[in-house]
Amino acid sequence: MRVVVGADRHGSIDRAVRFLGIGRADIVVVPADDEGRMLPDQLEPALGESEEPLIVCLQAGEVHTGAFDDVAALIPIAHDRGAWVHVDGAFGLWAATSPRLRHLTAGMEAADSWATDAHKTLNVPYDCGMAIVRDPADSIAALRTGGDYLVYTGLDPWDVTPELSRRARGVPAWAALRSLGRAGVAELIERLHDNAVAMAEGLAQIDGIELLHEVGYTQVMFRMPSDEQTTALGAAILAEGTAVVTGAQWRGRAALRCAMSSWATSPADIERTLAAIRSLAAA
Ligand SMILES: Cc1ncc(COP(=O)(O)O)c(C=O)c1O
């Protein structure tokens, strides 16, 4: 079996491949563009000619740039070769709820499985990860377990998770969805995006700061003229305490990264953060 991934996949894909015993040697890496999207014209050659089963892992939301793979172009290429297509949408799959941002996920419905986290964008407590499989028969084939004392109803909790016993993680996720409703979830996601755009616009006006990508979703990455200045600014922001901005490496250079993910962050918080960064960058 080979697992075909983008160069800027999340590290959890490699870890899952190791857990599953497939082995790192069977990971095939497809190059990505400047913002971390898998290059569609590079997928077909990566799939190769062999008859081995293939899993293609695509990404909805790159952790630094928020970029989405062009799934509408990529999924048909993978399916033509009989591959299983999985989409890692840890925080990005939620874009599908917003009429304004839905275009980012266009074509994603053709995948075979998707993963997302309610504990990220939906803001429920850790841990509420979700794996969604198109055909329940696939999930049952992988996970169903035996036990004459178990009561089977057709599709049971052990058919959809590795655990036989687990706490009711679905309750907080259900409660958030139930209380927000479809419109409320969309509004939450759009607020995160609005905050990211406001942050990017404000950062672009600060002397010395360079934005590293188009802001299409919730992530904003930037840097100063030198790596030393970028690292120093990151440390100063954390010490000053208005906001948490984490350090990153992007294409071999130091960067700083804001990930909008809290429902509670307001436009005023963005203004306060920008004011703090402005004075720290000047210093
Ligand atoms: C794109 C992406 N995939 C996977 C993960 C891993 O998710 P978790 O932390 O719930 O294991 C993350 C976490 O940051 C992520 O951003």
Side-chain angles (χ1 to χ4, degrees):
M1 178 181 288
R2 274 171 307 137
V3 181
V4 180
V5 301
D8 292 301
R9 68 202 174 278
H10 192 271
S12 56
I13 302 272
D14 301 57
R15 198 151 70 123
V17 167
R18 296 204 308 271
F19 281 178
L20 291 169
I22 295 171
R24 268 177 297 191
D26 290 317
I27 294 181
V28 179
V29 179
V30 182
D33 71 11
D34 287 350
E35 299 199 0
R37 299 177 199 89
M38 185 187 280
L39 290 170
D41 63 347
Q42 300 291 310
L43 176 59
E44 198 169 349
L47 294 174
E49 300 294 328
S50 126
E51 293 301 307
E52 290 163 323
L54 292 165
I55 299 175
V56 174
C57 293
L58 304 180
Q59 182 163 256
E62 201 283 330
V63 287
H64 304 90
T65 65
F68 286 60
D69 282 345
D70 181 359
V71 290
L74 292 160
I75 293 178
I77 299 170
H79 277 167
D80 274 355
R81 283 282 282 103
W84 177 285
V85 179
H86 174 73
V87 178
D88 175 3
F91 62 95
L93 215 61
W94 297 94
T97 64
S98 153
R100 180 170 14 119
L101 298 169
R102 186 169 293 156
H103 63 96
L104 295 168
T105 62
M108 222 161 266
E109 64 282 358
D112 300 289
S113 60
W114 305 261
T116 193
D117 278 342
H119 55 254
K120 293 194 170 77
T121 313
L122 193 60
N123 278 222
V124 304
Y126 288 147
D127 53 341
C128 283
M130 301 178 189
I132 307 166
V133 179
R134 169 183 297 286
D135 185 349
D138 290 320
S139 179
I140 290 170
L143 297 167
R144 179 162 285 180
T145 184
D148 56 11
Y149 68 98
L150 297 173
V151 178
Y152 292 90
T153 64
L155 187 68
D156 295 296
W158 50 81
D159 292 332
V160 294
T161 70
E163 304 99 329
L164 193 53
S165 311
R166 61 187 164 111
R167 67 188 178 85
R169 292 183 177 101
V171 174
W174 172 84
L177 292 170
R178 183 82 175 83
S179 67
L180 290 167
R182 184 180 292 268
V185 175
E187 199 263 327
L188 165 67
I189 310 309
E190 287 173 4
R191 205 158 67 229
L192 301 178
H193 176 241
D194 289 342
N195 283 341
V197 170
M199 178 66 91
E201 285 173 358
L203 287 170
Q205 314 217 330
I206 297 176
D207 268 356
I209 285 186
E210 178 194 2
L211 285 172
L212 296 176
H213 59 101
E214 296 281 321
V215 176
Y217 193 48
T218 55
Q219 319 295 97
V220 185
M221 185 170 53
F222 61 98
R223 71 179 175 211
M224 295 287 282
S226 75
D227 284 3
E228 291 70 26
Q229 288 167 311
T230 303
T231 308
L233 178 61
I237 294 169
L238 289 183
E240 192 271 347
T242 300
V244 175
V245 171
T246 57
Q249 285 287 315
W250 187 250
R251 305 307 188 232
R253 298 245 349 238
L256 296 171
R257 177 182 159 267
C258 315
M260 302 298 162
S261 57
S262 172
W263 65 274
T265 302
S266 67
D269 293 325
I270 301 295
E271 282 308 316
R272 284 199 303 136
T273 302
L274 284 167
I277 296 177
R278 199 173 296 118
S279 73
L280 294 167

